[in-house]
């Protein structure tokens, strides 16, 4: 097993009931694992929610964590995703200071290079939406720091496995409950 620490995304299908997100987060806390990013939302299946959690660890730790998550009653399926075997994106909203026309023009150029979008333009601010990988969002944030980032909001990483494989292939058997 690989002992190199890196970012892993755990894609977790759960029953859509109150408190399930809290149960998942508590498991991380009890085991002493840090959650770098967490995102939850409904799926196309009624009553099923997908939770995407990014955490840093080695292969053994992540495998153990996935097994422990799968033991929770409300968890339907757990999939370990890495950057190579999945498509991962996060949405970042950034409100940046645009004090004058030159600053605004320069920010618009940066936005265009990153294929981001301007959502709101005020006299002295621009609100930008960036959809992309962690590297892309970090890069644009670094460039916009020079103008003064007034605030930002991040959704957390969402991910799907590449190709025909999917999380439903890893559903727990009913006998496991």
């Amino acid at each position: 097993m690989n002992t190199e620490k890196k970012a892993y995304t755990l894609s977790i299908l759960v029953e859509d009931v109150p408190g399930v997100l809290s149960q998942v987060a508590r498991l991380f806390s009890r085991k002493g694992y840090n959650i770098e990013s967490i995102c939850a939302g409904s799926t196309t299946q009624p009553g099923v929610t997908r939770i995407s959690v990014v955490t840093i660890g080695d292969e053994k730790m992540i495998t153990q964590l996935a097994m422990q998550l799968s033991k929770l009653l409300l968890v339907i399926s757990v999939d370990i995703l890495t950057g190579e075997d999945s498509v991962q994106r996060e949405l970042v909203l950034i409100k940046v200071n645009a004090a004058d026309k030159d600053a605004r023009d320069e920010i618009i150029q940066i936005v265009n290079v990153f294929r981001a979008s301007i959502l709101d333009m005020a006299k002295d601010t621009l609100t930008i939406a960036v959809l992309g990988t962690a590297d892309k969002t970090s890069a644009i944030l670094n460039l916009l720091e020079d103008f003064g980032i007034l605030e930002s909001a991040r959704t957390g990483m969402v991910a799907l496995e590449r190709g025909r494989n999917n999380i439903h292939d890893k559903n727990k058997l009913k006998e496991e409950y």
Side-chain angles (χ1 to χ4, degrees):
M1 282 225 169
N2 189 354
T3 59
E4 174 191 347
K5 290 195 180 234
K6 64 179 186 175
Y8 287 89
T9 301
L10 293 168
S11 186
I12 310 160
L13 287 184
V14 296
E15 293 178 29
D16 187 11
V17 297
V20 69
L21 182 61
S22 176
Q23 284 184 21
V24 170
R26 269 197 315 268
L27 180 83
F28 278 79
S29 177
R30 276 196 320 266
K31 300 299 178 184
Y33 302 137
N34 190 42
I35 294 174
E36 301 291 323
S37 163
I38 189 166
C39 186
S42 60
T43 66
T44 56
Q45 292 180 310
V48 177
T49 295
R50 180 186 298 266
I51 302 172
S52 299
V53 180
V54 177
T55 191
I56 306 289
D58 60 37
E59 190 175 351
K60 182 180 178 184
M61 180 201 102
I62 298 300
T63 302
Q64 287 176 340
L65 185 57
M67 288 189 313
Q68 291 164 347
L69 283 165
S70 68
K71 290 178 184 177
L72 295 175
L73 285 178
L74 297 174
V75 171
I76 299 166
S77 184
V78 179
D79 197 5
I80 302 169
L81 304 175
T82 60
E84 301 86 39
D85 65 2
S86 64
V87 177
Q88 301 188 20
R89 298 291 182 268
E90 98 175 305
L91 171 66
V92 181
L93 300 180
I94 309 160
K95 187 183 295 182
V96 64
N97 190 32
D100 55 32
K101 184 184 179 328
D102 290 339
R104 196 168 24 261
D105 290 344
E106 196 171 338
I107 293 167
I108 290 170
Q109 283 183 334
I110 292 169
V111 167
N112 288 335
V113 166
F114 281 87
R115 294 187 185 141
S117 302
I118 296 174
L119 302 178
D120 183 60
M121 185 180 289
K123 184 178 175 184
D124 57 354
T125 64
L126 292 172
T127 302
I128 301 160
V130 183
L131 177 67
T133 63
D135 291 341
K136 178 181 178 178
T137 57
S138 293
I140 193 169
L141 282 165
N142 286 336
L143 289 172
L144 294 174
E145 275 181 359
D146 294 341
F147 299 96
I149 295 174
L150 301 173
E151 61 182 326
S152 68
R154 297 176 94 138
T155 61
M157 198 61 68
V158 293
L160 288 176
E161 196 168 3
R162 290 184 185 275
R164 302 249 339 131
N165 295 332
N166 64 68
I167 194 166
H168 302 291
D169 297 338
K170 297 162 181 73
N171 282 1
K172 293 192 295 191
L173 299 172
K174 291 296 179 198
E175 299 86 56
E176 291 183 54
Y177 290 106

